[in-house]
Amino acid sequence: MQQTDDTHLTHAFARGELSPSLARRLAADFLDGLARRGRPVPPTAVEAARLVTSELVTNALKHAPGPVLLELRLEGGLAAITVWDSGPALPVVGKSDPTRVGRHGLEIVASLARRFEVRREPVGKRVTARIALDDETATADARAHDGRVTGVRR
């Protein structure tokens, strides 16, 4: 784990590591650290960040062949959760289907994130979900962007 300052943390996961549970703990600890330093973070934002982090890391470990990098950072009133992996296939948020068993992870991420983005990298891809850390940010962001923004950068 590398923490460059109070608002930025990265962690590389190797295959076989208990990664989703460690990722959830890192996300919660990161946001708790912000709260201890005077940046209030409501419990609902912590839980949303834990779930989003877990889903993104789980998907990367499931679908990509190599290591996975988690990056957590504060961007104004948003927590940016970024997961990089070496897999070339871009994830797609499926249409809601209550009869489908499994494969709802990205639907959950997209529903909790204020913004969701997939970016192709020279090797692999980078998936970023931004979680609002307070009601004011969530409301202002929704007005400015008409809700969630999802996109793919190639």
Side-chain angles (χ1 to χ4, degrees):
M1 179 177 71
Q2 178 182 3
Q3 188 152 1
T4 54
D5 60 37
D6 291 343
T7 63
H8 187 239
L9 175 138
T10 58
H11 184 80
F13 294 97
R15 288 268 161 216
E17 197 173 0
L18 295 174
S19 301
S21 62
L22 176 56
R24 285 190 299 274
R25 190 171 68 245
L26 288 171
D29 289 350
F30 176 74
L31 295 176
D32 288 345
L34 293 176
R36 283 192 306 274
R37 289 181 291 283
R39 171 53 168 107
V41 180
T44 54
V46 174
E47 287 308 309
R50 288 180 73 233
L51 181 54
V52 165
T53 302
S54 181
E55 290 295 336
L56 293 180
V57 168
T58 297
N59 285 349
L61 290 170
K62 190 179 205 179
H63 300 290
V68 172
L69 180 67
L70 169 66
E71 180 181 24
L72 303 166
R73 66 187 176 282
L74 179 63
E75 294 180 352
L78 301 172
I81 302 162
T82 300
V83 174
W84 170 88
D85 68 59
S86 61
L90 298 179
V92 176
V93 179
K95 292 186 184 223
S96 182
D97 180 358
T99 64
R100 183 177 66 230
V101 176
R103 298 185 333 263
H104 293 281
L106 285 180
E107 287 177 55
I108 293 167
V109 169
S111 72
L112 292 172
R114 187 55 48 206
R115 297 182 193 151
F116 176 75
E117 174 183 273
V118 177
R119 178 189 299 173
R120 189 177 301 280
E121 295 289 332
V123 174
K125 65 192 161 294
R126 192 172 300 270
V127 179
T128 302
R130 290 173 175 84
I131 305 296
L133 296 181
D134 55 46
D135 291 335
E136 184 177 314
T137 301
T139 304
D141 192 58
R143 281 194 308 266
H145 298 285
D146 193 34
R148 270 182 299 290
V149 177
T150 60
V152 175
R153 292 186 185 161
R154 298 182 191 269

